[in-house]
Amino acid sequence: MLQVNLSKLFLFIFVFSLSISAQNLTEAHQKIQNAVGNRDYQTAIDQLQNLEKSDKKNFTPNNYDYLLARMAEKRDDFALAATNYQAVANRNSVLSEYALWHLSQIARASGNLMLERIYLQKILTLAPESLLSDAVKMRMARSYFESKNFDVAIQLLIDQQSAIGSRQNTTNNEQRTTNIAQNREIQVLLGEAYLQNNQIPQARQVFTKLTNNLPNPAQPDDFALAGAKNLDLLDGGKENFGKNAPQLADTEHYRRALIYQFNRNFPLARLHFQAIVERFSTSNYVAAALYQIGRGYAQEGNFAQAIGWFERVQAEFPDDLIARDALSQTASAYARVNKSKEAISRYQKFIQTYSDADNLERAYLNIVDVLRDTGEDFEALKWTAKTQADFKGKLPESLALFAQARIHISRNDWTNALSDLNILLMFPDLGGTRVPGGTNKAEITFLKGFALENLKRYNEAIDTYLLIPDGRSEYYGWRATEKLEALANDEQTRRFITKKIGELTTNIEVRNAEAQRKAAQAVLRLTDAAEIRSKMLAIVRKSYPQLPDYQKIPSGKLLEFGRKEILKEKRDSANENYHKTLADELLFLGLYDEGTPELEISQQSTVNSYQNDGQNNPKSKIQNPKSNDLAYTLAVFYKRGEMANRAVAYIEPLWRNVPADYQLELIPREQIELLYPMPYADSLLKLAPEKNVDPRFILAIMRQESRFRAEVKSNAAARGLMQFISTTANQIASELGREDFKQDELYNPPTAILFGSQYLSNLFKQFPNQPAAVAASYNGGENNMMRWLARAESDNPDRYVPEIIYSQSKDYVYKVMANYRVYQMFYDEKLKSNSR
C-alpha cells in the first residue's frame, strides 16, 4: 500500500514539474516576444541565451536559435548570428532555407563570394519552391558576375528570363508588373555580362531592347538609363564617355537624350541634344533639342545659361509651337536672375503674341508675382485688377482675386482682405490643386476667420473657424482648431470661447444625434478641460452608431496564425502545407517580415477571393467575412513586419468612405497604426536624432512621398522611400562623404533615411522651427520657399502657406503636416505609442 502511494506521489511530482516547466517556458517565450516587439534586441538576445543554457532540449525544436541569429544580426553581431544560422541549417530545420539565405548575405558582406554561392545553391536544392528562389537565382548570377565568371552568369540569367517569361500569362496584373521589372533587371545584368565577356553583338541587342521597349515611354526607368549608358560606351568608347556624343542618327540621339533628361542626368542629355543641333541642322528635332537644353539648365538652377537657349529657340524657330513655351520659360528665367523688367516684358510679349494660349492667365499672374518680388505691391494690384477684368467669369478671375487678397494680407490690410475673401467664397471654382495659384474653400474660409480675428471680431472669427471640418487629413481644419485653442488660452479672448461653449452645450442632450455630434465635436475644438472633453467625447461616441455615415469605419477580426504550442520535440512536417508550415514557425517567433509573405501565399485562394470581390465593395465584405478578416490580418502582420506599404494600401481605400471629420481620438488604435505606421524604426531612431530631426516628421514625409514603398520611382525620376532626385542626392552624398555613391542606393531604406535626415536637417537650419516651410522646400525647392516667405512678409505658416504658388507643393504641405499632426498625437519622439 505504501509502495502504491509513493508511486502516485512520484507521478504527481513528475506531472507537476512538467507543468511548472511548461509554464516557465511559456513565460520565457512571452518575454522574448515582448522584447522582439519592442525592438529591444539586446534583451531578446540575453533572454534567448539564458533559455538556451537552462532548457537546451526545448531550445532547438522551437527554432529559438534562428530567432537568436536574427536578433544578433540586428545588433551587427555577425559572428553570433552566423553560428546560430549554421546550427539551424545543419539540423535541417524547417527554417533552413532562411538560415542559409542569411548566411549567404553574411558571406557576401565579408567578400567571400564562393561561400555565398555554396549557401545559395543549397537553398535551390533544399527548397525549390521557396519564396526566396527568384532573389536567390538573381543573387547567384550576380555573384558569378562579380567573380568574373561571365559564362555561368549569362546562362543563369537566360534561364531565369525564361522562367519569368513562362509564368507571365498565369499571374495577376500586379505580379505581371513585378515580372516585367524583374525581367528588365535581368536584362541589364545580362547585357553587362555579355559586354564583359566580349560578346558585343549580344550586349548591344540587350541594351537596345532596354531603351526601345519601355513599359511606360513617358517615364524611362532605371533599366533604360543603364541601357543608354552602355550603348554610349559601345558606340563612343570609354575615352569619350561623358565628353563627346557618339556618331548616331538624330532619332537615336533624341531617344537617348530623353532617357537621360527624364532621369535628370542633364550633362549626358545635353551631349545628345547638342549633337542633334550641331550635326543635323535640318533635323525635325533641332527646335526640341534647343528647348530641352534650356530646360535642363533651368532644372539645374542655372537660369542664366537657360536664357540663351530659350531665346535661341525663339530666334531660329519663331513659328514652331515650342517657341511659345520657350518665351514663357525665358520670362521665368529672367525673374529667377532678378531681372524683373526683362521678365515682365517677356510676359507681356507672351500675352500679345499668344492671346489664344490655354495658359494665358499664367503670364498675367506671373507679372503679379514678379512685381511682388520687387516690392511693387501697388503695381501688382493693378495687374490683379486687369486680370479680373480680362478674364471675367472665368477661373483666372478667382485666381487673380486670391492673389489680390494675399497682397492685402501681407500688408495687414485686413478690411480689404476680408472683402476679397467674402467675394471668393461666392465663386464656384477656386482652382484647387488643378492649377498654379489655386485655392479651395477651406483655405479661403480659414483666411476669412484669420482676417476677422485680426479685426478683433472674435465671435465671427470663432464661428468661421468652426465651419471648417477638422479630421485626420484636414490641414485647415487643424489650423482652425489651433486658432480656437489659442483664443481659449488668451485672457482677452477666453470669454468669447466660454460663451460659444455655453451656446453649443445648452440642451445638447435633447437634440437629435447629428446635432449632438456637431455640437460636441465643436466643443472639443474649444477646450482642453478634461471633464468637458470627457463628456463631449461620450456624446460623440454615442451619436456615431446612430449616424449611417459614421458607421462606415472598416472592421476586421485579427485571425490567429502561427503555432501556439511550444514544442517538446522536433515535429514531422513532411505532410503539411509547405508555406503554411514556414508561416507558422516564423510567426510563432514573431518574425512577421518573413512569416507574412509565407502566410499570404499559403492562403492564396482566400486572398484571391477578397481581391476578386473588390476591396472597396462593402457587400463583398459582408458576403466574404473570412476573406475580409484575412486581408485585415495580413495588413496588420505586414505592418508588424515593416512592410507598411501593404498596410496602408489595405486600409486607406476603406477610410475614403468615412466622413472627413471623424473624431481623431475615437479612431480605433489598431487602425491608426495601419493608417500611420512607423516602419524602419531602428534606422529612424539611429539616424534622425543625430541630425536633430524628429523621426515622426520623417515618417510624415515618407508617408506622402512613397507610401513606404522602398523601390518606388516617381514620374520626376525621384527614387526610394524619401524620393530623392539625382541632383539633391548627389549634393547630400557629397556632404556625407559618400564618394562612390550610386543613385540605386536610394532604394535601400537605411540609405534613404540617412539622406532624408541630412537634407531635412539642412532645411531646418534654413527654416528653424518651421516644419511647413521645410515640407514646402522638400517638394518645391528652398529657393522657391524663400520667395513665398518674402511675399508673405511673415514666418507665420498661416500667412505663408497660402503664398505657395505650386499647387502640388501646397497640397504636399497640407498632407505632410496633417500626417505629422497625427504622428505627434499618437507617438512620442522615441516612436513609442502615446496613451490616449
Side-chain angles (χ1 to χ4, degrees):
M1 187 71 173
L2 177 61
Q3 188 175 1
V4 173
N5 289 335
L6 284 173
S7 298
K8 289 182 177 179
L9 177 61
F10 288 140
L11 179 61
F12 173 78
I13 292 171
F14 176 70
V15 172
F16 181 74
S17 64
L18 285 179
S19 174
I20 293 295
S21 176
Q23 183 179 0
N24 290 342
L25 190 55
T26 301
E27 290 177 0
H29 178 78
Q30 190 57 55
K31 288 180 180 178
I32 291 166
Q33 288 300 290
N34 290 341
V36 173
N38 290 327
R39 305 186 302 277
D40 188 352
Y41 305 125
Q42 188 57 56
T43 297
I45 290 170
D46 293 342
Q47 291 173 343
L48 285 162
Q49 289 178 324
N50 288 337
L51 180 62
E52 183 179 20
K53 292 175 184 176
S54 64
D55 198 354
K56 182 70 175 178
K57 67 176 182 178
N58 287 318
F59 189 77
T60 53
N62 290 286
N63 287 300
Y64 285 124
D65 45 358
Y66 181 74
L67 181 58
L68 176 56
R70 286 293 310 273
M71 297 299 99
E73 198 171 1
K74 292 278 190 183
R75 296 282 296 170
D76 295 335
D77 188 344
F78 298 110
L80 179 61
T83 298
N84 282 276
Y85 284 137
Q86 194 66 62
V88 174
N90 288 346
R91 69 169 186 277
N92 199 25
S93 161
V94 68
L95 297 182
S96 291
E97 66 195 76
Y98 282 96
L100 290 166
W101 174 249
H102 287 283
L103 284 168
S104 74
Q105 292 178 312
I106 292 172
R108 178 193 175 196
S110 69
N112 193 336
L113 297 179
M114 182 177 291
L115 183 58
E116 177 196 23
R117 291 194 292 275
I118 291 172
Y119 289 133
L120 293 173
Q121 187 58 56
K122 284 184 177 180
I123 297 172
L124 295 175
T125 303
L126 175 71
E129 297 179 13
S130 173
L131 293 184
L132 299 169
S133 59
D134 280 347
V136 168
K137 291 173 184 176
M138 190 64 188
R139 186 54 226 162
M140 181 79 85
R142 285 193 180 279
S143 185
Y144 276 111
F145 180 91
E146 291 165 10
S147 297
K148 303 188 185 306
N149 193 335
F150 301 116
D151 287 326
V152 176
I154 288 168
Q155 189 56 55
L156 288 172
L157 291 164
I158 291 173
D159 291 346
Q160 196 172 359
Q161 256 191 325
S162 177
I164 290 174
S166 66
R167 67 186 186 220
Q168 189 68 4
N169 295 325
T170 62
T171 54
N172 57 34
N173 289 335
E174 183 179 352
Q175 187 58 52
R176 276 194 287 274
T177 301
T178 300
N179 289 345
I180 289 170
Q182 287 179 339
N183 191 41
R184 288 176 66 76
E185 182 183 6
I186 290 168
Q187 286 179 349
V188 171
L189 189 59
L190 179 60
E192 290 174 352
Y194 278 134
L195 188 60
Q196 293 294 328
N197 215 32
N198 205 32
Q199 294 175 256
I200 305 303
Q202 293 91 331
R204 180 180 295 281
Q205 182 180 16
V206 171
F207 294 137
T208 300
K209 188 175 180 181
L210 283 166
T211 58
N212 291 5
N213 301 337
L214 301 175
N216 183 350
Q219 298 178 19
D221 56 20
D222 291 345
F223 312 119
L225 178 63
K229 285 183 176 180
N230 279 291
L231 286 172
D232 276 357
L233 282 167
L234 284 172
D235 292 323
K238 288 184 179 180
E239 65 280 2
N240 285 316
F241 184 75
K243 299 176 184 176
N244 300 298
Q247 294 294 330
L248 305 168
D250 58 342
T251 53
E252 186 59 21
H253 276 302
Y254 196 67
R255 185 198 316 278
R256 295 186 198 177
L258 290 180
I259 291 172
Y260 287 130
Q261 189 88 337
F262 175 80
N263 284 281
R264 305 184 77 87
N265 193 324
F266 301 116
L268 290 181
R270 276 196 290 274
L271 285 179
H272 286 279
F273 285 134
Q274 286 174 324
I276 294 171
V277 173
E278 294 166 4
R279 301 173 191 172
F280 302 92
S281 58
T282 60
S283 169
N284 291 332
Y285 295 113
V286 173
L290 289 169
Y291 177 78
Q292 291 294 344
I293 292 171
R295 285 288 296 145
Y297 277 122
Q299 287 180 278
E300 289 178 316
N302 190 344
F303 297 104
Q305 281 279 6
I307 288 169
W309 292 96
F310 289 138
E311 291 192 329
R312 189 171 168 185
V313 174
Q314 299 163 62
E316 296 180 21
F317 299 93
D319 298 326
D320 195 299
L321 189 61
I322 206 167
R324 182 187 67 186
D325 295 332
L327 178 57
S328 177
Q329 292 291 336
T330 304
S332 176
Y334 272 123
R336 295 305 187 91
V337 296
N338 298 318
K339 292 188 175 181
S340 57
K341 291 182 180 178
E342 290 85 347
I344 290 171
S345 69
R346 267 59 174 192
Y347 282 129
Q348 289 175 323
K349 181 180 178 181
F350 186 96
I351 292 169
Q352 296 163 2
T353 308
Y354 302 107
S355 58
D356 59 346
D358 291 338
N359 61 340
L360 182 63
E361 76 281 356
R362 284 314 318 159
Y364 284 76
L365 295 168
N366 286 339
I367 289 174
V368 173
D369 290 339
V370 172
L371 290 168
R372 292 190 66 192
D373 290 341
T374 57
E376 300 179 69
D377 285 354
F378 291 111
E379 287 299 313
L381 287 170
K382 291 179 183 177
W383 272 93
T384 62
K386 178 176 174 56
T387 308
Q388 291 173 67
D390 288 359
F391 293 90
K392 190 71 174 175
K394 299 178 182 177
L395 173 60
E397 181 186 7
S398 66
L399 301 181
L401 182 56
F402 182 47
Q404 179 176 297
R406 298 198 311 273
I407 295 172
H408 288 140
I409 290 171
S410 72
R411 298 179 62 83
N412 295 317
D413 184 351
W414 300 108
T415 300
N416 280 317
L418 181 60
S419 175
D420 294 338
L421 295 164
N422 278 324
I423 296 171
L424 278 167
L425 285 171
M426 294 186 286
F427 277 81
D429 187 0
L430 298 170
T433 57
R434 303 191 326 273
V435 295
T439 184
N440 55 70
K441 186 175 180 181
E443 184 169 57
I444 297 302
T445 304
F446 176 82
L447 291 174
K448 176 182 176 180
F450 193 35
L452 288 165
E453 183 182 347
N454 278 278
L455 290 168
K456 302 188 185 307
R457 293 161 60 176
Y458 298 118
N459 286 325
E460 295 170 83
I462 292 167
D463 287 340
T464 303
Y465 286 141
L466 286 173
L467 289 173
I468 310 168
D470 189 12
R472 67 180 185 88
S473 300
E474 302 302 306
Y475 173 78
Y476 274 114
W478 165 54
R479 295 306 307 148
T481 297
E482 292 280 297
K483 285 290 184 183
L484 291 165
E485 289 176 358
L487 290 169
N489 291 323
D490 187 328
E491 289 185 5
Q492 294 184 348
T493 55
R494 186 176 300 145
R495 59 190 175 90
F496 298 99
I497 295 291
T498 303
K499 176 186 174 186
K500 190 63 184 178
I501 292 174
E503 293 173 2
L504 290 166
T505 55
T506 300
N507 297 323
I508 190 172
E509 294 85 356
V510 301
R511 302 178 199 173
N512 63 39
E514 173 61 8
Q516 285 188 4
R517 179 200 68 78
K518 290 180 68 174
Q521 288 194 215
V523 173
L524 287 167
R525 303 173 70 180
L526 299 172
T527 181
D528 58 4
E531 185 178 348
I532 298 175
R533 291 189 63 83
S534 177
K535 182 178 179 181
M536 293 301 110
L537 280 171
I539 291 173
V540 176
R541 190 180 286 111
K542 182 181 177 182
S543 69
Y544 280 175
Q546 303 175 59
L547 303 169
D549 285 347
Y550 290 85
Q551 296 175 31
K552 293 178 181 178
I553 67 165
S555 61
K557 177 185 176 183
L558 191 64
L559 303 177
E560 291 190 4
F561 289 103
R563 63 178 174 85
K564 298 296 178 286
E565 77 282 3
I566 295 175
L567 298 178
K568 302 300 181 183
E569 58 184 21
K570 182 179 177 181
R571 66 176 176 180
D572 181 9
S573 58
N575 298 320
E576 297 183 19
N577 179 314
Y578 166 61
H579 292 293
K580 178 66 164 54
T581 301
L582 284 169
D584 283 346
E585 207 64 29
L586 290 162
L587 295 175
F588 167 76
L589 295 172
L591 297 173
Y592 292 93
D593 56 339
E594 294 172 339
T596 310
E598 295 287 356
L599 174 63
E600 183 171 23
I601 198 71
S602 75
Q603 303 287 317
Q604 199 62 59
S605 61
T606 307
V607 173
N608 287 341
S609 169
Y610 180 83
Q611 291 173 340
N612 291 338
D613 286 336
Q615 288 191 17
N616 299 318
N617 184 342
K619 289 185 179 179
S620 71
K621 297 193 192 86
I622 294 170
Q623 294 165 359
N624 297 278
K626 182 178 178 182
S627 60
N628 181 35
D629 290 341
L630 176 60
Y632 171 74
T633 300
L634 288 171
V636 172
F637 285 7
Y638 273 120
K639 185 262 298 181
R640 292 177 184 174
E642 294 205 328
M643 287 176 269
N645 58 303
R646 293 292 303 274
V648 174
Y650 162 78
I651 196 69
E652 272 199 327
L654 302 179
W655 268 86
R656 289 180 188 143
N657 298 320
V658 179
D661 65 349
Y662 197 98
Q663 192 67 32
L664 263 170
E665 295 95 325
L666 299 184
I667 298 177
R669 179 74 200 208
E670 61 273 14
Q671 298 206 27
I672 280 289
E673 291 181 1
L674 291 177
L675 286 162
Y676 300 91
M678 48 173 195
Y680 315 111
D682 294 336
S683 294
L684 285 164
L685 292 172
K686 177 183 177 182
L687 299 169
E690 291 178 355
K691 305 295 182 182
N692 293 317
V693 179
D694 186 344
R696 295 169 298 182
F697 189 70
I698 296 180
L699 284 167
I701 293 275
M702 195 187 297
R703 186 180 191 276
Q704 181 57 27
E705 286 287 354
S706 64
R707 281 299 190 270
F708 307 111
R709 291 174 296 164
E711 78 293 342
V712 72
K713 182 177 179 181
S714 77
N715 58 11
R719 295 171 172 85
L721 287 172
M722 302 297 288
Q723 289 289 278
F724 273 94
I725 59 174
S726 57
T727 47
T728 307
N730 288 335
Q731 169 200 326
I732 298 302
S734 177
E735 292 176 12
L736 294 170
R738 302 276 287 259
E739 295 180 2
D740 297 324
F741 169 73
K742 295 179 176 60
Q743 295 294 323
D744 282 357
E745 293 178 52
L746 293 169
Y747 297 121
N748 174 256
T751 300
I753 290 167
L754 172 62
F755 276 51
S757 299
Q758 177 68 28
Y759 185 40
L760 288 170
S761 177
N762 295 346
L763 293 175
F764 271 112
K765 289 173 184 174
Q766 193 168 356
F767 306 104
N769 303 313
Q770 291 293 334
V774 168
S777 301
Y778 198 95
N779 180 266
E782 48 265 54
N783 291 334
N784 288 320
M785 187 63 243
M786 292 295 292
R787 293 163 63 211
W788 298 327
L789 269 173
R791 289 174 194 166
E793 298 186 36
S794 171
D795 61 1
N796 180 347
D798 297 330
R799 298 175 72 139
Y800 68 69
V801 168
E803 293 286 3
I804 298 174
I805 296 301
Y806 297 165
S807 55
Q808 179 188 4
S809 297
K810 184 187 280 190
D811 187 57
Y812 183 87
V813 170
Y814 293 164
K815 290 174 178 174
V816 167
M817 293 305 296
N819 291 344
Y820 189 35
R821 175 201 188 185
V822 177
Y823 274 113
Q824 286 179 303
M825 187 173 182
F826 288 95
Y827 304 97
D828 65 19
E829 289 186 350
K830 298 292 184 182
L831 302 184
K832 300 292 186 183
S833 295
N834 285 329
S835 58
R836 300 200 66 84

